[in-house]
Amino acid sequence: MGAFRDNRCLKIIQVRPMHTHFSLLAPFFQRAARLCDVRALDAAADRIHRKYTEGAPSPLEGLAEHVAYAVCRMPATFAAVTQALSHLKRVVPSFAPTSILDVGSGPGTAALSSMLAFPTLRQAVGMERNKDFLTLSELLFTTIPGFEATFRG
């Protein structure tokens, strides 16, 4: 049974309270999952899972794999970036950035985590060459109110 049908990824879409800000991502996950047919997402999630467990992740291919990545893998990346930024704030409490440049921004995970960690951030710019990730980053920042970022290819 696939990742979407056996609810591994659907549990993420329904959002467990894993992190203070994690519930902000719920509407994004729900909207992103609607971009593709559930069977295509299911197959894409299985392919991504195999790539990661075989130890050699290869580039994502097509919108379904990018959406599956966002729904199934992005939460772990979001948590890791958030934890790293939390540590940075403890080590350097005076650090108060006003802008961020995220090169290779993917779906915008680090930009969002940074904006949540540092209320002083006024500008986030993401650079991403993949059109499917650009679609997802735009969706992410139009889904979450109060946060604005610019993403360019």
Side-chain angles (χ1 to χ4, degrees):
M1 184 141 303
F4 274 81
R5 285 186 296 241
D6 72 8
N7 288 329
R8 276 183 281 158
C9 292
L10 289 176
K11 287 178 185 170
I12 292 169
I13 294 170
Q14 294 164 357
V15 180
R16 300 179 305 268
M18 295 171 55
H19 185 275
T20 307
H21 300 299
F22 196 76
S23 61
L24 285 174
L25 295 173
F28 166 70
F29 293 143
Q30 292 164 348
R31 288 181 65 191
R34 284 189 228 120
L35 293 175
C36 300
D37 175 78
V38 73
R39 287 182 300 265
L41 288 173
D42 188 45
D46 285 342
R47 283 192 304 276
I48 292 169
H49 179 72
R50 276 194 309 276
K51 289 176 184 181
Y52 274 81
T53 57
E54 292 170 0
S58 58
L60 302 175
E61 297 177 18
L63 182 60
E65 283 195 8
H66 287 81
V67 171
Y69 169 87
V71 175
C72 296
R73 296 283 177 185
M74 184 179 161
T77 303
F78 180 79
V81 171
T82 300
Q83 184 176 17
L85 294 175
S86 177
H87 180 72
L88 173 63
K89 287 172 63 173
R90 282 192 304 276
V91 173
V92 188
S94 62
F95 185 63
T98 58
S99 64
I100 181 175
L101 174 62
D102 184 3
V103 178
S105 60
T109 314
L112 178 63
S113 185
S114 298
M115 294 179 92
L116 290 167
F118 299 103
T120 55
L121 275 176
R122 300 288 174 246
Q123 180 182 22
V125 175
M127 302 297 291
E128 176 56 58
R129 64 183 180 160
N130 184 283
K131 68 178 178 56
D132 294 320
F133 272 149
L134 286 171
T135 297
L136 290 170
S137 61
E138 181 180 322
L139 180 63
L140 176 65
F141 280 89
T142 58
T143 302
I144 299 173
F147 294 97
E148 293 184 29
T150 304
F151 292 87
R152 299 183 180 124

